[in-house]
Amino acid sequence: MPTRHFLKDTDFTREEVAQIFGLAARLKRERGTHEKPLAGQTWALIFSKSSTRTRVSFEVGIHELGGNPLFLNRNDIQIGRGESVEDTAKVLSRFVHGLIVRTYEQSEVERLAAAGTIPIVNALTDFLHPCQIYTDAFTLTERWAGNGDRLASLKGRKIAFLGDTACNMAYSWILGAALFGMKISLAGPAQFAPGPEIDAQLAQDGLPKNYHFTTDPYEAVKDADVVYTDVWVSMGKEEETKERIRVMSPYQVTAKLFAAAKPDAYFMHCLPAHAGEEVEQAVLDNPRCIIFDEAENRLHVQKAIMATLAAARPRA
Ligand code: CP
Ligand code: NVA
């Protein structure tokens, strides 16, 4: 049985996602009393970018599953001074039981997975943020599934993604929508339309090109069950700030735009949010804004992901 990793949304099958969501719901209900499948283990986090939610939810989650979290800032370890990704993976595989990685290139998490023998979790790259998308989808199932089938409650629902439609969140949502059977419309400036790299990923996963791109934000939100946005300036893109704000301004999620979605639509944002840029404060204050449930659920869903990867790990 090969070591399992979570590098992209499509690394788990629909059946596995259903199990992960079920486990996340139980771990949430039984927080403080549930089993500790990482007992005796250490899971390391290597972060090359800032983080509030991801770092804290993983560190707390590892602790609550009985494990020991070990936070490593990239610049404090030798990889930051040029030690190879492969040697880092081989060395850490001798010490720790899993690795949570936030970095720039998607190829870095793939190389770590290829060279090491421990589960690797993508905690955000420039290309994808799969932990966030699983959490967002789980958060929606809490509202839509009742006591029924969680994945079935997502099927056919429409998500509208506004702003930077070529960022990690947009791309992970394109993959997630394909996996969960959701419709996705993205609206942003033409120069930030989804690029060939996400089409190539869909093709590699055997999935059809499922998304609709438009430069008209009102077209995207029409009949949407979820209106989603992300920062206009992702980490690593700071030098483009002025131009991004200029071209993305028409895609701000205003109260008026949000009102053009379905009357019971939810507003979601992975956070951090910049009120007055990608979203109007009035939308953040709307009772159908569920950003803090999203943030909380990072803990429960990631615990389920780690428990699933730990259970799948081949024993020496
Ligand atoms: N949403 C998210 O990943 O937040 P952080 O950057 O704070 O981890
Ligand atoms: N697109 C954002 C997401 C932050 C969680 C970034 O990469 O900075």
Side-chain angles (χ1 to χ4, degrees), residues 204-316:
Q204 190 188 312
D205 290 328
L207 295 166
K209 188 170 162 177
N210 60 329
Y211 62 88
H212 167 72
F213 173 78
T214 170
T215 53
D216 177 356
Y218 283 89
E219 184 188 334
V221 302
K222 188 172 184 303
D223 296 325
D225 298 285
V226 183
V227 176
Y228 205 110
T229 194
D230 183 13
V231 293
W232 289 338
V233 185
S234 284
M235 291 180 277
K237 306 286 183 199
E238 289 78 6
E239 75 281 6
E240 300 171 14
T241 299
K242 230 174 120 186
E243 174 64 2
R244 284 172 166 263
I245 291 178
R246 190 181 71 78
V247 297
M248 292 188 196
S249 291
Y251 301 92
Q252 184 188 66
V253 181
T254 58
K256 185 172 165 225
L257 183 63
F258 186 41
K262 279 191 180 164
D264 56 353
Y266 291 110
F267 173 74
M268 302 183 90
H269 188 314
C270 56
L271 305 180
H274 297 81
E277 280 187 25
E278 72 274 7
V279 59
E280 223 174 43
Q281 184 62 47
V283 176
L284 295 169
D285 295 336
N286 187 298
R288 284 180 285 112
C289 165
I290 56 173
I291 53 178
F292 297 113
D293 290 341
E294 261 183 284
E296 181 199 326
N297 283 334
R298 296 290 301 278
L299 173 67
H300 312 299
V301 172
Q302 289 162 189
K303 281 165 73 176
I305 291 168
M306 288 188 287
T308 301
L309 293 174
R313 195 176 169 212
R315 297 278 167 252

Side-chain angles (χ1 to χ4, degrees), residues 20-190:
I20 287 167
F21 284 7
L23 178 58
R26 183 174 67 73
L27 294 174
K28 183 172 183 175
R29 258 193 331 269
E30 297 175 5
R31 189 175 179 196
T33 60
H34 59 64
E35 70 280 14
K36 296 188 182 301
L38 303 191
Q41 299 191 8
T42 294
W43 283 53
L45 294 84
I46 301 182
F47 277 42
S48 306
K49 294 174 174 173
S50 304
S51 172
T52 299
R53 282 143 288 270
T54 309
R55 176 178 176 176
V56 175
S57 56
F58 269 111
E59 289 206 40
V60 171
I62 292 163
H63 171 75
E64 290 187 4
L65 292 175
N68 173 49
L70 177 65
F71 184 80
L72 303 166
N73 185 312
R74 183 193 188 86
N75 294 326
D76 293 341
I77 59 174
Q78 296 288 8
I79 197 172
R81 296 181 62 250
E83 184 169 17
S84 78
V85 169
E86 284 73 18
D87 283 4
T88 304
K90 286 175 190 161
V91 170
L92 290 179
S93 293
R94 304 286 179 110
F95 293 135
V96 304
H97 301 82
L99 201 50
I100 316 298
V101 184
R102 170 167 283 202
T103 191
Y104 293 88
E105 300 287 330
Q106 178 74 12
S107 60
E108 186 171 309
V109 291
E110 286 164 4
R111 287 167 62 197
L112 285 165
T117 56
I118 52 174
I120 309 293
V121 176
N122 178 353
L124 182 146
T125 62
D126 288 346
F127 186 47
L128 296 172
H129 195 5
C131 292
Q132 182 73 54
I133 272 58
Y134 273 38
T135 302
D136 296 341
F138 173 81
T139 304
L140 290 167
T141 68
E142 289 185 316
R143 281 160 181 78
W144 291 338
N147 292 324
D149 183 320
R150 287 179 183 270
L151 282 194
S153 78
L154 298 173
K155 209 166 170 50
R157 300 276 191 168
K158 177 179 172 183
I159 176 160
F161 192 101
L162 282 298
D164 180 1
T165 62
C167 76
N168 42 18
M169 284 301 307
Y171 283 2
S172 251
W173 254 119
I174 288 173
L175 287 187
L179 185 65
F180 307 135
M182 295 174 73
K183 296 180 214 147
I184 181 162
S185 276
L186 305 100

